[in-house]
Amino acid sequence: MAGAAAEQRRLATVVESWLGRPVLIIGDAMLDEWRFADSDRLCREAPAPVLTLRRRISAAGGAANTAVNVAALGGRAVLVAPVGADVAGDELHDCLDRAGVWDRTVNQPGRPTPVKRRMLAGNQILLREDSGDPDDALDPDGVTRLLTALDCATEELRAAAGGEAPTLVVCDYGLGALPAPVRAWLVEQRERYATVALDAHDLADWRGLAPTVVTPSFAEATRLLARAGGATRPPAGVELHLEHPDSDPADGPSELTVGTAPGGSHVEDVPAATAPDPTRADRPGAVGEPTRSEGRVALTGDGLSVTGTGVTVNSEAGEGVDRAVLAESRLAELRAHTGADVVAVTLDTEGAVVGGADGEPRRSHSTPVPASHAVGAGDAYLAAMTLTLAADAPLPTAAQLAQLAATITVSDTGTCVCRREDLLAALDQPSASSGHPALVGTDELDAIVAEHRDAGRSVVFTNGCFDVLHRGHVRYLEQARALGDLLIVAVNSDGSVRRLKGPDRPVNPVEDRGALLAALSCVDHVVVFEEDSPAALIEAVRPDVYVKGGDYPPELVPEAPLVRRLGGQVRTLGYVPDRSTSAIIERIRSHSQDREPDAAPHDQDRQPDPSLRTRTRAS
């Protein structure tokens, strides 16, 4: 038991080391839309259920969900991707904002945002509608703007990380976001990135990238081997039979049949006629058809064959051979063909097989779940694997944490996101906490900031009156918290608010305003200041990121020169439209004029909690 606890603490230390790690994600971003409906009868026109829509959820998908997972796990995620100028694109931007991803996507008018719409009844997916076509290619101007965004985002991350080379994650799902010029640029600029992770449906398109890690599905891995023609002999151990036609079919990727070679024969010794026939009429059909262009894999009813788009893997020729054994025996070939240091072949609900330069395969396992629970689990796996390798952790640790991140996200229907807090909880380790109260005085603030800085955590600082706390405030603070590891909110005192807003403000005393802010999970500490400007507090805190609300450039923020002189950066975050304290107060006043005035409030209703007064008093 003591050894297990020590191992969990070691893994938790690795998770903590991800905080603030710069990661640039580029690729096919899409919107996942989930429509939940009720159905209690069939329609008269056809044997189809009649659906009543109850709720709708939108989430980031594809490369965007990988970026969301990187941010949720504690990394500093920047997404570069083409996004359409449409409603789906607006929703995707909103998803990225909520997750704290630095949105550096490039607007592409006339090219729709890819969307996957799922309709469910009773948590069962009834149908899925996909929009977005790989034929919707980027025009030359779009490619140029994408490369400019990619170059700028790389330098932005490097500057934010104090000159440290960022990590790169490439998500190529064949939807046209990564045309040949973009792939060539990434290959040419490889040395600008310390760690490179590649998740691609067609790995053959990325020769020359020399990634640190590739994470193909089983179908994607076998497709690459088929196109390579089996030129590389598998290592000693299980010999595999590989039968590949002379040419690729016009409508899809290569056809491949793999199994243990009869009699231990080598690939070149086995005639094509001996290969198992996956189309045999007496073979049970696949459970669920694989989706074209996604490289999905479906297990046949006899439990012996696995089919994917253009790929059939059959274990009937060797009893007891399964996908994990097949993948393990070809890891060296996959590393050779991809140029990757690490290959992680994912096996859906069966876990993954991971191999590195030492030639020792690592097998991880997962718990089978309904397919609707596992959407996006691969994105969580990719994010955790990338962050662990970027932190220079050993490969067994990367394999273990990546599988754990993917496994704990599949508890419910929806697009999977693994949060750092959930991962630490799975390791029986609470998230780092200083033990200080949320409401603090300025005399305590110096010690708190020093403690977090010693632990390598970044500090985000913002200030305001926060008179009537509303949805716009909450979203703004959630976005601010996602920019670092610690969020400090400085609140104007009552006297300061009166000088700034007029004699009828604040509506709520500072004790109430501070207590409400401190109750928000995204806020770490609240401090009150008497001055009209937070300059003195900024000097004391020296924030890594100073955040203000508004739709204006950071250069117009009065405190910007001071923050930059102290080595920090300035970010402005837009407010939720039609949400403001002034608008709320005006609505209340307009309603009150239509009714009899209430009796004067009791004095005690305005008296602050004495315990709060002592904890929030500024010195």
Side-chain angles (χ1 to χ4, degrees):
M1 292 294 290
E7 174 65 8
Q8 288 182 323
R9 286 194 297 270
R10 184 186 69 81
L11 293 174
T13 300
V14 176
V15 175
E16 294 288 2
S17 73
W18 297 345
L19 290 173
R21 190 164 296 277
V23 182
L24 172 61
I25 301 95
I26 181 168
D28 292 299
M30 63 191 74
L31 184 73
D32 275 355
E33 183 180 297
W34 298 81
R35 293 172 176 257
F36 297 88
D38 292 338
S39 177
D40 55 10
R41 70 186 192 279
L42 297 178
C43 69
R44 295 182 179 182
E45 298 85 3
V50 177
L51 303 176
T52 302
L53 184 64
R54 295 305 183 191
R55 63 189 177 105
R56 173 183 173 276
I57 297 175
S58 293
N65 190 46
T66 299
V68 168
N69 273 276
V70 168
L73 288 169
R76 182 171 292 168
V78 175
L79 176 66
V80 175
V83 173
D86 50 21
V87 173
D90 292 342
E91 290 193 51
L92 182 55
H93 292 307
D94 193 50
C95 292
L96 296 173
D97 286 344
R98 288 198 303 268
V101 174
W102 293 11
D103 186 351
R104 301 297 180 266
T105 55
V106 177
N107 189 26
Q108 297 288 336
R111 185 178 187 272
T113 303
V115 180
K116 292 184 178 181
R117 298 181 179 90
R118 297 171 177 86
M119 178 66 80
L120 301 90
N123 277 348
Q124 172 66 48
I125 296 178
L126 300 182
L127 61 89
R128 194 181 91 185
E129 175 195 6
D130 289 4
S131 62
D133 195 316
D135 293 334
D136 296 330
L138 300 179
D139 58 30
D141 177 64
V143 171
T144 299
R145 291 190 293 117
L146 190 65
L147 289 175
T148 300
L150 184 55
D151 184 57
C152 292
T154 300
E155 290 307 309
E156 180 183 22
L157 266 184
R158 182 186 291 273
E164 176 186 352
T167 293
L168 175 69
V169 180
V170 179
C171 301
D172 182 7
Y173 305 130
L175 296 178
L178 295 165
V182 177
R183 297 197 301 269
W185 188 95
L186 289 168
V187 171
E188 180 183 346
Q189 302 292 321
R190 169 64 177 84
E191 71 280 355
R192 296 174 67 179
Y193 307 99
T195 301
V196 174
L198 172 63
D199 184 27
H201 280 348
D202 193 346
L203 292 165
D205 283 343
W206 291 93
R207 291 188 180 94
L209 182 63
T212 308
V213 58
V214 293
T215 59
S217 67
F218 185 69
E220 291 160 355
T222 52
R223 185 181 306 142
L224 178 67
L225 292 174
R227 287 184 170 176
T232 305
R233 185 75 55 82
V238 178
E239 292 287 349
L240 298 180
H241 171 66
L242 178 73
E243 190 61 42
H244 181 53
D246 294 334
S247 61
D248 288 348
D251 60 347
S254 304
E255 185 72 24
L256 174 69
T257 301
V258 180
T260 301
S265 302
H266 294 302
V267 171
E268 61 270 24
D269 299 328
V270 181
T274 64
D277 181 6
T279 62
R280 227 172 49 203
D282 58 344
R283 183 178 303 283
V287 181
E289 286 300 315
T291 303
R292 184 177 180 181
S293 84
E294 284 193 336
R296 291 291 179 91
V297 176
L299 185 66
T300 58
D302 61 1
L304 295 175
S305 300
V306 179
T307 65
T309 307
V311 177
T312 299
V313 178
N314 185 277
S315 61
E316 190 176 36
E319 186 176 354
V321 175
D322 60 16
R323 291 195 300 168
V325 173
L326 294 172
E328 286 180 5
S329 66
R330 308 304 284 268
L331 287 174
E333 286 180 86
L334 290 169
R335 289 185 63 246
H337 290 314
T338 60
D341 297 328
V342 175
V343 172
V345 181
T346 56
L347 305 172
D348 309 306
T349 57
E350 296 175 39
V353 173
V354 182
D358 59 5
E360 183 68 28
R362 280 90 180 173
R363 179 78 166 93
S364 61
H365 298 270
S366 183
T367 303
V369 295
S372 61
H373 289 195
V375 175
D379 302 327
Y381 184 97
L382 175 63
M385 171 67 75
T386 302
L387 286 166
T388 310
L389 293 176
D392 294 324
L395 182 55
T397 299
Q400 189 172 356
L401 286 175
Q403 189 63 67
L404 182 59
T407 301
I408 65 176
T409 64
V410 296
S411 60
D412 202 357
T413 298
T415 304
C416 296
V417 175
C418 183
R419 300 187 309 147
R420 172 173 156 269
E421 294 80 4
D422 296 334
L423 193 55
L424 289 172
L427 295 169
D428 291 328
Q429 304 295 316
S431 183
S433 175
S434 64
H436 294 284
L439 291 152
V440 298
T442 53
D443 52 343
E444 299 174 76
L445 200 56
D446 290 344
I448 292 172
V449 171
E451 180 179 316
H452 285 279
R453 283 258 162 72
D454 289 343
R457 302 186 186 107
S458 57
V459 177
V460 181
F461 182 93
T462 190
N463 64 277
C465 300
F466 300 100
D467 192 1
V468 178
L469 200 63
H470 54 74
R471 176 189 169 195
H473 287 139
V474 174
R475 178 178 170 186
Y476 164 79
L477 292 170
E478 287 175 341
Q479 293 175 348
R481 177 60 175 81
L483 297 176
D485 306 319
L486 181 79
L487 176 60
I488 297 173
V489 180
V491 185
N492 294 77
S493 69
D494 292 347
S496 177
V497 174
R498 278 191 290 272
R499 291 191 296 272
L500 293 172
K501 302 290 186 179
D504 59 343
R505 299 281 295 275
V507 173
N508 294 304
V510 70
E511 290 82 5
D512 292 353
R513 291 184 282 130
L516 286 173
L517 287 168
L520 297 176
S521 61
C522 57
V523 175
D524 294 291
H525 298 292
V526 178
V527 63
V528 177
F529 66 101
E530 297 287 347
E531 302 81 10
D532 295 343
S533 166
L537 276 175
I538 292 173
E539 288 268 14
V541 173
R542 304 176 71 91
D544 298 283
V545 184
Y546 177 67
V547 182
K548 287 294 288 184
D551 298 318
Y552 45 80
E555 291 71 23
L556 296 181
V557 175
E559 296 82 5
L562 172 61
V563 173
R564 293 197 175 103
R565 178 171 62 80
L566 296 172
Q569 60 172 306
V570 179
R571 296 287 303 274
T572 57
L573 302 176
Y575 291 119
V576 175
D578 302 323
R579 299 290 191 278
S580 73
T581 299
S582 299
I584 292 173
I585 292 174
E586 284 303 314
R587 285 202 301 271
I588 294 172
R589 286 173 174 167
S590 64
H591 286 308
S592 66
Q593 291 172 357
D594 298 332
R595 297 182 300 182
E596 282 293 322
D598 295 331
H602 296 292
D603 288 343
Q604 59 265 30
D605 291 340
R606 295 279 296 179
Q607 294 300 315
D609 184 337
S611 65
L612 293 178
R613 181 181 302 170
T614 58
R615 292 164 65 192
T616 59
R617 183 181 297 118
S619 58

